[in-house]
């Protein structure tokens, strides 16, 4: 699907840009279709960012290159280092340039103790999600080896679910304000924005995703669980509840389920086998995917995509810049490498994506990993091992 969407998008853009050709050729028969030969080469923007982003993204790039994927990579220096030099977070028209010139973006992480306001992270990361309207944050949760899961008796076949997080609304809009700051009467308001359009499109995306993405063992995803806090946050929760009911009725073959977010956290730790696909708002999605990463072996193992179907989408590991371990060659690069595989799969390069995932799985099983998941390798050495496997395969 993604390859078709991407190819179709390229073709449509060309078609729109050449509507004169389209019109004039309409009366001529036979006509040569006014599509350019579609180049298989995908253009990818690489933005490592801060902290361990600068260590794990080069490993992901190494593995992409080793896979032989037909891609053209361009690196950008957006992040704290650049901001501290020239005050620029996102260059003028930066997002328009990404949309125009690239098929996908591979991002590291943002956050640096030298930038206390975190303004660059807000403008680059949240700016990209919001301004490029990457409304679906897709975070797969897969256990590669029983040894990685802190729960007893849980095996890889038990954990294969997906969290679909709304990515452009909620409390992340940062609407609100502070009044009477610094006085005993200070008031801080943080609004939770939920639009009908935004809620409906993410819930529909979740059902469509369930239909099109079977589990790794080939079995279909038959349940979509909506997670909210509608017992306390009644206005927003009410909207999510009504929309979920309406949209789920369009997918009779999928069972709609619901949990309050507090109960879901308990269930995820007590018995994660029960989850198939979870759809939720921006903030709950952020929190439960760190929890879910814990089931997979920690943040170093978790991948994600920030998707707007048919548009330039962005892929990033779930983890942050981890300043305390940055620069020490200890960060786990597998979250970033699995993210790269997810991106290649999305761009239609399933063979390369599968080969990379298989190599990471083998590395985990043979403990050719960083220390956080039981191995003794450094970031670069773990990346080298996977890259070599991917090349040989
Ligand atoms: P974090 O994800 O950076 O780290 C949380 C914990 O997980 C730390 O103990 C860290 O050492 C560990 N960890 C994370 N990634 C790891 C990896 N690849 N290998 C081994 N261990 C890993 O979250 P945090 O500490 O809450 O935040 C640090 C900074 O990162 C903050 O500035 C935060 O805002 C930012 N952040 C950015 C993103 C992003 O850009 N997508 C995501 C989360 C946090
Ligand atoms: C994530 C991160 C971000 C988020 C932060 C850095 C704003 O935690 O991508 O999960 O909350 O979305
Ligand atoms: Mn997070």
């Amino acid at each position: 699907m993604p390859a078709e969407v991407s190819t179709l998008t390229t073709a449509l853009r060309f078609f729109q840009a050449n509507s004169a050709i389209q019109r004039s050729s309409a009366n001529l028969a036979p006509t040569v279709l006014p599509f350019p030969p579609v180049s298989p080469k995908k253009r990818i923007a690489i933005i490592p960012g801060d902290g361990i982003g600068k260590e794990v993204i080069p490993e992901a790039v190494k593995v992409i290159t080793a896979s032989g994927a037909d891609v053209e990579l361009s690196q950008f220096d957006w992040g704290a280092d650049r901001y501290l030099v020239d005050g620029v977070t996102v260059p003028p028209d930066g997002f328009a340039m990404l949309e125009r010139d690239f098929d996908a973006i591979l991002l590291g992480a943002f956050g640096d103790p030298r930038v206390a306001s975190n303004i660059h992270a807000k403008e680059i990361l949240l700016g990209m999600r919001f301004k490029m309207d990457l409304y679906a944050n897709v975070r797969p949760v897969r256990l590669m080896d029983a040894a990685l899961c802190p729960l007893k008796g849980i095996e890889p076949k038990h954990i294969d679910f997906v969290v679909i997080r709304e990515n452009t609304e909620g409390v992340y809009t940062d609407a609100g304000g502070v009044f009477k700051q610094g006085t005993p009467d200070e008031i801080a308001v943080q609004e939770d924005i939920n639009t009908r359009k935004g809620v409906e499109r993410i819930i529909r995306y979740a059902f469509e995703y369930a239909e099109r993405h079977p589990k790794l063992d080939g079995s279909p995803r038959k349940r979509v669980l909506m997670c909210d806090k509608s017992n306390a946050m009644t206005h927003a929760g009410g909207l999510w509840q009504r929309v979920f009911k309406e949209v789920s009725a369009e997918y009779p073959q999928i069972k709609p389920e619901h949990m309050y977010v507090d109960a879901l956290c308990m269930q995820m730790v007590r018995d994660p086998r029960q989850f198939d696909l979870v759809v939720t708002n921006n903030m709950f999605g952020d929190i439960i995917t760190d929890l879910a990463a814990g089931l997979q072996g920690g943040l170093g193992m978790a991948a994600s995509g920030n998707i707007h179907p048919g548009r330039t989408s962005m892929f990033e590991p779930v983890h942050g810049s981890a300043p305390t371990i940055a620069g020490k060659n200890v960060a786990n690069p597998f979250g970033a490498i699995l993210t790269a595989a997810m991106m290649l799969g999305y761009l239609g390069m399933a063979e390369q994506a599968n080969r990379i995932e298989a190599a990471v799985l083998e590395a985990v099983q043979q403990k050719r990993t960083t220390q956080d998941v039981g191995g003794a390798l450094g970031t670069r050495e773990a990346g080298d091992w996977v890259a070599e496997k991917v090349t040989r395969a």
Side-chain angles (χ1 to χ4, degrees):
M1 185 265 304
E4 288 158 21
V5 168
S6 181
T7 308
L8 191 61
T9 306
T10 310
L12 277 173
R13 280 186 189 143
F14 180 83
F15 206 81
Q16 281 155 1
N18 294 279
S19 51
I21 302 174
Q22 188 190 350
R23 276 195 301 276
S24 63
S25 63
N27 298 327
L28 306 172
T31 53
V32 176
L33 276 177
F35 294 120
V38 178
S39 160
K41 200 182 270 300
K42 300 290 181 189
R43 297 154 306 167
I44 299 172
I46 308 285
I47 312 181
D50 305 334
I52 64 167
K54 290 189 284 188
E55 295 174 85
V56 297
I57 292 300
E59 299 313 312
V61 166
K62 193 191 280 177
V63 172
I64 292 172
T65 307
S67 78
D70 194 12
V71 292
E72 191 180 296
L73 308 173
S74 309
Q75 187 156 320
F76 295 88
D77 63 354
W78 306 3
D81 290 340
R82 162 92 186 260
Y83 174 69
L84 289 166
V85 170
D86 63 10
V88 173
T89 57
V90 179
D93 291 328
F95 295 135
M97 174 274 297
L98 291 175
E99 177 89 53
R100 187 185 60 236
D101 296 340
F102 293 93
D103 296 296
I105 305 154
L106 180 64
L107 211 74
F110 298 89
D112 185 302
R114 295 169 299 168
V115 185
S117 66
N118 215 25
I119 181 70
H120 70 297
K122 184 176 177 190
E123 293 189 0
I124 300 169
L125 176 68
L126 299 183
M128 197 178 291
R129 290 177 183 167
F130 281 50
K131 293 187 177 156
M132 296 181 76
D133 202 27
L134 306 175
Y135 68 88
N137 192 334
V138 178
R139 297 187 158 185
V141 185
R142 289 179 194 151
L143 177 62
M144 288 200 151
D145 193 285
L148 266 49
C149 187
L151 305 180
K152 59 178 185 293
I154 297 293
E155 294 169 27
K157 66 177 181 204
H158 295 142
I159 300 187
D160 180 2
F161 67 92
V162 186
V163 177
I164 307 278
R165 166 191 181 190
E166 202 295 317
N167 217 24
T168 55
E169 301 192 346
V171 294
Y172 279 71
T173 52
D174 211 20
V178 179
F179 309 99
K180 299 182 183 176
Q181 190 168 355
T183 76
D185 297 324
E186 182 164 350
I187 299 167
V189 176
Q190 194 83 48
E191 297 288 0
D192 182 13
I193 308 288
N194 296 264
T195 68
R196 168 88 203 190
K197 180 180 156 195
V199 174
E200 189 175 328
R201 70 179 176 174
I202 195 65
I203 289 177
R204 181 160 281 113
Y205 185 93
F207 279 94
E208 292 288 327
Y209 189 98
E211 279 204 329
R212 292 165 196 214
H213 294 80
K215 295 184 180 221
L216 279 181
D217 67 9
S219 63
R221 294 192 190 276
K222 291 186 185 150
R223 294 172 296 129
V224 169
L225 185 152
M226 194 272 279
C227 159
D228 65 19
K229 188 65 190 169
S230 53
N231 49 355
M233 303 167 78
T234 56
H235 309 302
L239 176 63
W240 278 78
Q241 290 278 348
R242 278 180 274 119
V243 173
F244 187 63
K245 196 170 171 193
E246 275 176 38
V247 175
S248 62
E250 295 172 27
Y251 299 85
Q253 69 286 10
I254 296 177
K255 186 169 175 238
E257 298 176 331
H258 172 260
M259 267 186 209
Y260 298 122
V261 65
D262 46 353
L264 177 134
C265 289
M266 185 276 291
Q267 292 293 349
M268 208 177 265
V269 171
R270 198 191 60 82
D271 186 4
R273 287 174 294 193
Q274 64 190 289
F275 295 104
D276 202 344
L277 189 150
V278 177
V279 60
T280 190
N281 72 18
N282 208 337
M283 187 173 67
F284 297 154
D286 177 47
I287 296 168
I288 67 172
T289 51
D290 265 33
L291 180 60
L295 302 172
Q296 296 170 267
L299 279 163
M301 295 299 297
S304 84
N306 297 254
I307 313 286
H308 185 126
R311 289 202 201 164
T312 303
S313 293
M314 180 268 276
F315 297 80
E316 55 170 345
V318 174
H319 65 73
S321 55
T324 56
I325 61 166
K328 296 178 180 164
N329 195 39
V330 298
N332 184 348
F334 289 178
I337 292 170
L338 292 169
T339 296
M342 192 177 174
M343 176 181 73
L344 294 180
Y346 187 82
L347 292 174
M349 289 171 258
E351 189 275 322
Q352 287 85 350
N354 292 340
R355 198 143 36 90
I356 293 170
E357 284 185 6
V360 172
L361 178 63
E362 202 175 333
V364 167
Q365 287 167 342
Q366 294 190 24
K367 293 221 181 318
R368 305 298 178 125
T369 71
T370 46
Q371 291 173 20
D372 56 308
V373 282
L377 299 183
T379 308
R380 285 189 292 277
E381 292 69 30
D384 284 344
W385 198 91
V386 172
E388 203 188 330
K389 265 289 161 212
V390 163
T391 313
R392 277 204 198 127

